[in-house]
Amino acid sequence: MSQTRIESMMDEKRLFEPPAEGRETAWVKSMEEYEALYKRSMEDNEGFWAERAGTLIDWFTPFTKVLEADMDTPSIKWFQDGTLNVAYNCVDRHIANGRRNKAAIIWQGEPDEDVKVYTYQMLYDQVCRFANVLKAQGVGKGDRVALYMPMIPELAVAMLACVRIGAVHSIVFAGFSAVSLQNRVQDCEAKVLVTADAVLRAGRTIPLKKNADEALRECPSVTRVVVVNRANANVDWVEGRDLWWHEQMKAPGISGHCPCEPMEAEAPLFILYTSGSTGKPKGVVHTTGGYLTYTAHTTQWVFDLKDSDVYWCTADVGWITGHSYIVYGPLALGGTTLMFEGVPSYPGPDRFWQVVEKFRVNIFYTAPTVIRSLMREGSEWTRKHDLSSLRLLGSVGEPINPEAWMWYHEHIGGSALPIVDTWWQTETGGIMISALPFATPLKPGSATRPLPGVDARIVRPDGTDAQPNEGGHLIIRKPWPGMLRGVFGDPARYKSTYFERFPGAYEAGDGARVDSDGYFWIMGRLDDVINVSGHRMGTAEIESALVSHPSVAEAAVVGMPHAIKGEAIYAYVTLSADVEETEELRAELRTWVRKEIGPIASPEVLQFADGLPKTRSGKIMRRILRKIAGGSTSDFGDTSTLADPGVIADLIEGRVDLT
Ligand code: 6R9
C-alpha cells in the first residue's frame, strides 16, 4: 500500500456515529451491548460459542463437547461429537419453518432480462436432484468435486448438492486458466468436475469448457464432467466422460428427494485454494459445524440480516467471500441472497445501482476496488437510480482508503448508512474485525473492533504486545469456529504458515496497528503476497510462471501502488542470453502469465532488467524493487550487502511508467 494512503489513514480523525434508525430492531443495539458481549466471549469463550452454535444451527445430534484445541500442534476441534448437515440447515429447515415460498436466491444474469428466482422449495428440488446426479456418478462422502463455473445459480446448487451427500467441493474461480485449474484438480484429486460451456462477461462469450478440457488432459482422477449450458456455445465433447447438466437433472431415476448425510462437525466441508508467499497455492480446508456456525453468526450480526431483506454481496462465489456471504451465511439464516453474473461497468457504470433499484436491495457488500473504479466515473451515475432501499453497506478485500470510504458513504449511503469494513481471510472462514452496524462509531479506513469471540492482537516480531499505534503482526490468540482446519494434503505447511512464528496463536500475515480507542487499522500483507483488486496473488507463483517461459532467465515480482486496484503487479524480467528485448516479447510474456495463471495475474508493468539487486548470498532484495516500482529514485536504505550496487541505477533508468 502506498505511503500516502497509510499517512492519510494515520491522520483520519472523523468519527461517524451509528444511525439511530434501525437500532431498535438491530441484532446488536449499542456499544455497551457490544462491550458486554465481547467481555463475555473472552471470559467464557466456549459458553459463548456453544450458545451461538445452538441458537443458529439445527443439529441432528447435539454436541456435548464444545472445543478441544491445541494451537501449537495445531489441532482444533469444535462441537466434535455433534452431527449436522449444511444443506439441511441452508435449505430443508426453511421449508419446514414457513419460508417455503420465500426467495432463497434471486439470480440476475448479465443480460438484464435474464432473471431467475429460486424459492426455498425450488432450491430444495434442484439441490436434491443434483445430489442424486452426483451419487449416480459414484460420488460419495468425502469425495472431492471440482466446480469451475460462472456466476450462475447452478453453482450454488452444485455446492449444496455436494454438502448434502458429504462430498467436498473445491471451487476454482472461472477466471483462472487451464493450468491453474489443472493444478488444483490434481492436488485434491477430484472425481467429478462441474463446469459450463462458456462465461458471459461484459457482452462477450468466453469459452470455459475449453479450459476444462485442456486441464483434464492430465487429471486422471476425474471420471465425469457435468456441463451447464449457459451460452449455447460450441463445445468439444468427450463421449463417456461428459454429461449435460440439463439432461442429467431430468434423467430417469433422478428424483427430487435425496436424504441429507449426517456429518460429523469436523468433517471437511470444502477446500478453497489461496495464494501464499511461497510455491503453489494452498488448499485451505474448512469443516462443517464450525464454519456454518461462524458464517451464520457473522452474517446475522455484521449484516444485521432480517427476513425481509434483499441482501447482495457482489463477490464471485469462486472466492471465499462468495462462499461465506453469498451462499452459506445468508442461506443458513433463511435469507434472500442476490447472485449477480455481470460486471460493475457493463452495459454502463450504473449497472450496480440499477440492480439495487430493480430489486430494492437493502444490504450491499462490495470491494474497495469496485468503489474506486465507480467513483472515477462520477457520481451522476449514482443519482440516476433510487437507492433509498439500502440500509447497510459493507466493504471487503483490502483496506478502504478514506476517500473511497467517504464517496461510498455520501453517494451510495446518502451520508446516513453504516459501512461495515470487514477484515477477514480465506483462512478465517468469516469476518473477524468489523463494526456492528448499529452499534459501532465508524472511522473511515478502520475495520474498527474485533467481533465478539475474536481475540485479535498486534504483536512485535518477538511476540510481545505492541503499544497503541505501534504497527506489528496481526495475530488471533483464541481459536474460533470458522478457522481453517488444514492445508489439504500438507499438514506441515498448515503448521508452518500459520502457527509456528507466534506459538499458541494464529498468524494472519497482515500488518496492523490498534489506535488508542482500540480500533484496528490494517496496513496490508507482510509477506510476499500482492493484493490486486482484493485478490491475493503470490509473487512466487507469478515468478515461476515467468521463468517457465524459454526466453526468461530470471524474474522478480513486486506490488506497486495503483489508484483503482490498490496494488498492481510489477515484474522485473532478465532474459536468457541472446534473447532480444522487444515489445512483442513483452506482450508475449504478459499473455504467457495470463495463460499460466489467469488474467488477474498478468503483470501491469513488465520491465526488462539486465540484473536484479541481489545480496552476496544471492537473495533478491525485493525492498529495493518495490521502491523502484513505486517511483523512488533515492533512499534505498542499507544497500551495503548488495553484490553489485550498480544495478540500482540501471533499474531506475529502465523503470516503466504506468500510463
Ligand atoms: C475475505 C478476503 C485476505 C487478505 C487479508 C488482507 C486483505 C481483506 C480487508 C483486508 C484490510 C479489509 N483484506 N479484507 N485488508 N481491510 N477489510 O478478502 O479473503 O482473499 O483470503 O484475502 O485481504 O490483507 O489478509 P482473502
Side-chain angles (χ1 to χ4, degrees):
M1 191 175 36
S2 78
Q3 206 51 37
T4 42
R5 276 174 65 196
I6 295 174
E7 278 161 12
S8 73
M9 286 186 180
M10 293 282 232
D11 289 343
E12 190 52 60
K13 297 263 157 39
R14 286 170 287 202
L15 195 71
F16 294 84
E17 291 298 329
E21 199 185 330
R23 243 182 206 218
E24 254 161 62
T25 52
W27 286 101
V28 180
K29 297 177 178 48
S30 66
M31 218 41 192
E32 294 69 50
E33 195 181 343
Y34 161 80
E35 299 284 8
L37 285 164
Y38 193 84
K39 189 162 178 282
R40 150 123 211 254
S41 74
M42 290 297 116
E43 288 168 3
D44 175 22
N45 193 251
E46 291 190 23
F48 173 81
W49 287 117
E51 201 174 296
R52 293 305 281 158
T55 311
L56 292 165
I57 304 302
D58 279 3
W59 298 84
F60 294 150
T61 324
F63 56 88
T64 60
K65 276 197 201 137
V66 180
L67 174 66
E68 196 184 292
D70 166 4
M71 295 272 261
D72 285 317
T73 307
S75 160
I76 314 287
K77 291 178 180 154
W78 282 96
F79 318 124
Q80 60 176 301
D81 58 348
T83 66
L84 75 161
N85 184 285
V86 168
Y88 179 86
N89 276 277
C90 289
V91 186
D92 301 38
R93 64 168 170 167
H94 305 308
I95 290 172
N97 70 15
R99 298 188 179 99
R100 190 166 82 89
N101 295 321
K102 177 177 172 176
I105 299 175
I106 300 175
W107 177 74
Q108 172 64 67
E110 178 162 282
D112 198 47
E113 61 281 9
D114 276 10
V115 174
K116 284 186 192 167
V117 178
Y118 290 72
T119 63
Y120 275 97
Q121 185 72 60
M122 291 162 77
L123 187 60
Y124 172 87
D125 174 74
Q126 293 292 295
V127 169
C128 287
R129 279 181 194 280
F130 198 63
N132 285 326
V133 170
L134 289 173
K135 275 186 171 171
Q137 300 310 324
V139 176
K141 202 168 175 169
D143 289 337
R144 271 82 61 206
V145 175
L147 309 178
Y148 182 57
M149 299 170 76
M151 279 287 284
I152 52 179
E154 288 83 352
L155 173 51
V157 169
M159 293 163 82
L160 292 163
C162 287
V163 304
R164 191 172 191 90
I165 61 173
V168 177
H169 60 69
S170 170
I171 304 186
V172 180
F173 173 55
F176 276 128
S177 67
V179 180
S180 294
L181 173 65
Q182 184 175 76
N183 293 337
R184 287 158 172 77
V185 169
Q186 284 176 345
D187 188 75
C188 73
E189 299 181 308
K191 212 165 179 175
V192 168
L193 173 77
V194 187
T195 187
D197 56 344
V199 175
L200 298 189
R201 198 177 159 81
R204 291 178 303 146
T205 303
I206 304 163
L208 190 67
K209 180 167 188 290
K210 193 167 152 281
N211 291 353
D213 288 339
E214 217 179 298
L216 293 188
R217 274 184 221 142
E218 282 169 46
C219 293
S221 63
V222 175
T223 54
R224 291 286 182 276
V225 178
V226 183
V227 188
V228 178
N229 178 6
R230 168 63 191 119
N232 284 320
N234 284 329
V235 287
D236 290 339
W237 206 252
V238 179
E239 283 308 329
R241 185 196 73 179
D242 297 351
L243 306 164
W244 282 112
W245 173 290
H246 58 272
E247 287 177 5
Q248 293 305 308
M249 291 290 269
K250 293 187 306 217
I254 295 300
S255 101
H257 293 287
C258 171
C260 285
E261 191 71 36
M263 301 299 289
E264 287 175 5
E266 283 298 342
L269 183 66
F270 65 81
I271 302 167
L272 181 59
Y273 287 83
T274 189
S275 296
S277 52
T278 50
K280 54 177 195 161
K282 301 181 283 264
V284 168
V285 178
H286 282 290
T287 59
T288 306
Y291 174 83
L292 192 67
T293 300
Y294 201 71
T295 51
H297 159 72
T298 48
T299 305
Q300 186 178 69
W301 284 9
V302 176
F303 297 115
D304 193 49
L305 190 68
K306 304 283 171 47
D307 246 321
S308 56
D309 284 321
V310 175
Y311 162 92
W312 182 17
C313 164
T314 71
D316 192 290
V317 171
W319 308 111
I320 190 68
T321 305
H323 283 61
S324 299
Y325 297 111
I326 295 177
V327 180
Y328 291 118
L331 294 181
L333 296 178
T336 297
T337 183
L338 182 79
M339 187 175 177
F340 176 65
E341 182 185 37
V343 296
S345 53
Y346 180 85
D350 59 339
R351 178 60 163 151
F352 274 11
W353 321 128
Q354 179 241 329
V355 171
V356 166
E357 179 174 16
K358 180 174 179 177
F359 297 102
R360 296 291 189 271
V361 170
N362 305 105
I363 301 166
F364 179 74
Y365 187 33
T366 196
T369 182
V370 171
I371 298 165
R372 287 192 297 266
S373 70
L374 295 177
M375 183 171 132
R376 179 171 275 200
E377 301 289 340
S379 51
E380 61 271 23
W381 293 100
T382 68
R383 287 195 293 270
K384 287 176 65 171
H385 299 281
D386 179 1
L387 305 180
S388 61
S389 57
L390 291 172
R391 67 182 192 88
L392 204 167
L393 306 175
S395 171
V396 60
E398 56 173 314
I400 177 166
N401 49 309
E403 297 69 33
W405 196 99
M406 286 308 299
W407 188 86
Y408 197 25
H409 176 70
E410 282 171 25
H411 297 284
I412 310 305
S415 300
L417 304 184
I419 297 178
V420 289
D421 174 1
T422 61
W423 177 85
W424 61 292
Q425 309 176 294
T426 304
E427 293 87 342
T428 68
I431 298 166
M432 303 290 281
I433 304 179
S434 168
L436 293 174
F438 298 96
T440 316
L442 305 174
K443 299 186 188 186
S446 168
T448 79
R449 307 271 301 266
L451 294 180
V454 175
D455 190 8
R457 309 285 180 98
I458 310 295
V459 292
R460 302 188 179 119
D462 67 2
T464 55
D465 286 330
Q467 292 298 308
N469 284 316
E470 180 186 346
H473 295 257
L474 175 54
I475 63 161
I476 315 290
R477 286 245 163 92
K478 289 190 199 312
W480 66 101
M483 70 192 293
L484 81 164
R485 301 295 200 275
V487 169
F488 191 80
D490 200 345
R493 204 168 170 202
Y494 173 50
K495 181 180 165 82
S496 65
T497 311
Y498 306 107
F499 300 96
E500 215 155 67
R501 177 150 187 185
F502 301 107
Y506 166 83
E507 178 190 4
D510 278 345
R513 68 184 173 92
V514 178
D515 70 17
S516 44
D517 296 326
Y519 278 51
F520 281 66
W521 299 81
I522 311 294
M523 287 146 71
R525 302 286 309 182
L526 293 172
D527 52 13
D528 289 323
V529 171
I530 311 180
N531 190 327
V532 183
S533 300
H535 300 142
R536 273 162 70 170
M537 297 301 322
T539 52
E541 244 176 299
I542 307 170
E543 286 163 5
S544 88
L546 281 167
V547 296
S548 70
H549 188 283
S551 302
V552 175
E554 199 168 29
V557 168
V558 296
M560 69 177 287
H562 186 279
I564 304 283
K565 300 177 177 178
E567 274 189 301
I569 299 166
Y570 195 115
Y572 297 86
V573 171
T574 306
L575 297 175
S576 309
D578 305 327
V579 177
E580 223 185 306
E581 296 176 1
T582 62
E583 286 314 307
E584 290 71 49
L585 181 57
R586 204 194 299 271
E588 185 183 319
L589 291 176
R590 299 182 68 226
T591 313
W592 178 267
V593 177
R594 270 178 100 85
K595 259 204 103 235
E596 288 287 305
I597 306 175
I600 49 167
S602 176
E604 196 88 16
V605 178
L606 197 144
Q607 172 174 352
F608 292 126
D610 288 338
L612 297 171
K614 285 191 195 157
T615 61
R616 283 185 210 106
S617 62
K619 277 212 179 69
I620 296 176
M621 289 178 82
R622 284 161 196 287
R623 174 172 62 78
I624 293 174
L625 294 175
R626 266 192 288 265
K627 290 210 105 178
I628 296 173
S632 299
T633 53
S634 56
D635 297 332
F636 293 104
D638 181 12
T639 53
S640 60
T641 55
L642 274 183
D644 172 14
V647 294
I648 296 187
D650 293 344
L651 287 170
I652 293 173
E653 203 188 302
R655 179 171 178 271
V656 183
D657 237 327
L658 260 193
T659 39

